[in-house]
Amino acid sequence: MSGILAGKRILVTGVLTEASIAFQTAKVAQNEGAEVILTGFGRLSLVERIAKRLPKEAPVIELDVTNQEHLDGLADKIRAHQGDDARIDGIVHSIAFGPQGAFNFLEASWEDVSTAVHVSAYSLKSLTMACLPLMGRGSSVVGLTFDAQTAWPKYDWMGVAKAALEGTSRYLARDLGPRGIRSNLVSAGPIKSMAAKSIPGFEELADVWNHRAPIGWDLTDPEPAGRGVVALLSDFFPNTTGEIVHVDGGVHMMGA
């Protein structure tokens, strides 16, 4: 199969529905020649059903990124699917979660904040380290962020967690660079996904894009962001690392 990911093996986290950026990333990756493995947690049967809707059904591995036993066993579970020549050429980190309290900046407890940072930011490092034994030169780690340069309405401590994610990606880029492994992020505009439903005031946040995206933005179309992720997974960016690529209709560069 031809394509910019021909022959590559990609691990994609965070697939819950077809409306997710993670699903579109997996779909585009397969269409570009990649072999894909998905991870899921909590609603594994749902992820397995969604996996059947990809161009080629993908295997699903249970993974809770806050569970060290899951992380310690991840490489072996990948080997079980791939055999003696097991490897991972790319990781897609599409994991974020904040308890409801994290969406009230002044009132949030440390328990809420620490959960948001652990799941949404620290997990980029822990997931990468779990896969590192299977990764070689030319591998790529790509995460999904929501531009942390701005204090968005209603986003609160999740915005802080995304800032931590962006910092984590840069430090991964620094420390994994000598191994030839890249770490980058795609900063995507808002998408009406299952994750969005857990954000209080999501409609108010998303409305910014209705007025400020110079090239326009479709809240129901996660494919452009998925394509951005696939591009960074490919060999077309061999010397790009520690970068944040915006796929947000241009909102990030608009002035007041």
Side-chain angles (χ1 to χ4, degrees):
M1 185 179 290
S2 62
I4 64 172
L5 295 186
K8 291 190 180 294
R9 294 173 176 177
I10 308 297
L11 183 75
V12 180
T13 66
V15 172
L16 274 179
T17 70
E18 290 177 85
S20 68
I21 295 173
F23 178 87
Q24 290 300 321
T25 298
K27 180 179 177 180
V28 174
Q30 285 189 341
N31 288 336
E32 291 295 332
E35 177 184 330
V36 170
I37 294 177
L38 307 181
T39 74
F41 171 66
R43 307 182 208 185
L44 211 59
S45 60
L46 174 59
V47 181
E48 290 168 343
R49 287 200 301 272
I50 293 298
K52 295 177 181 178
R53 300 178 187 175
L54 289 168
K56 180 181 178 182
E57 183 178 351
V60 178
I61 294 173
E62 183 178 18
L63 177 66
D64 173 2
V65 290
T66 67
N67 184 321
Q68 193 58 47
E69 289 185 8
H70 283 200
L71 292 165
D72 290 343
L74 180 58
D76 284 340
K77 289 183 178 180
I78 293 171
R79 291 186 184 101
H81 286 288
Q82 294 185 348
D84 294 338
D85 64 340
R87 71 175 194 278
I88 288 295
D89 301 302
I91 298 170
V92 178
H93 179 278
S94 182
I95 301 169
F97 171 74
Q100 287 298 297
F103 295 95
N104 184 327
F105 187 79
L106 295 181
E107 300 297 329
S109 68
W110 169 240
E111 183 179 3
D112 291 336
V113 172
S114 62
T115 297
V117 172
H118 188 177
V119 177
S120 308
Y122 181 80
S123 64
L124 178 65
K125 192 278 293 189
S126 55
L127 173 64
T128 301
M129 294 304 294
C131 294
L132 196 58
L134 300 178
M135 301 175 76
R137 298 193 71 84
S139 299
S140 177
V141 180
V142 183
L144 285 157
T145 189
F146 190 73
D147 197 337
Q149 299 178 87
T150 299
W152 296 104
K154 308 297 184 181
Y155 207 47
D156 294 2
W157 283 102
M158 279 304 296
V160 177
K162 290 298 186 181
L165 175 70
E166 294 175 9
T168 302
S169 179
R170 287 189 287 270
Y171 280 98
L172 277 176
R174 182 196 69 180
D175 290 353
L176 298 183
R179 299 175 184 238
I181 298 173
R182 295 169 286 131
S183 178
N184 295 289
L185 298 175
V186 166
S187 180
I191 296 293
K192 285 186 176 180
S193 63
M194 186 174 291
K197 293 179 181 178
S198 67
I199 302 174
F202 173 79
E203 295 295 336
E204 180 182 341
L205 173 62
D207 190 54
V208 173
W209 268 256
N210 293 328
H211 308 288
R212 296 181 61 79
I215 202 170
W217 185 254
D218 185 348
L219 292 167
T220 66
D221 185 9
E223 185 177 345
R227 287 182 172 274
V229 173
V230 167
L232 287 170
L233 290 169
S234 78
D235 295 331
F236 279 81
F237 289 88
N239 280 61
T240 298
T241 194
E243 186 59 87
I244 300 175
V245 175
H246 288 82
V247 183
D248 66 349
V251 167
H252 72 281
M253 58 83 184
M254 294 295 285

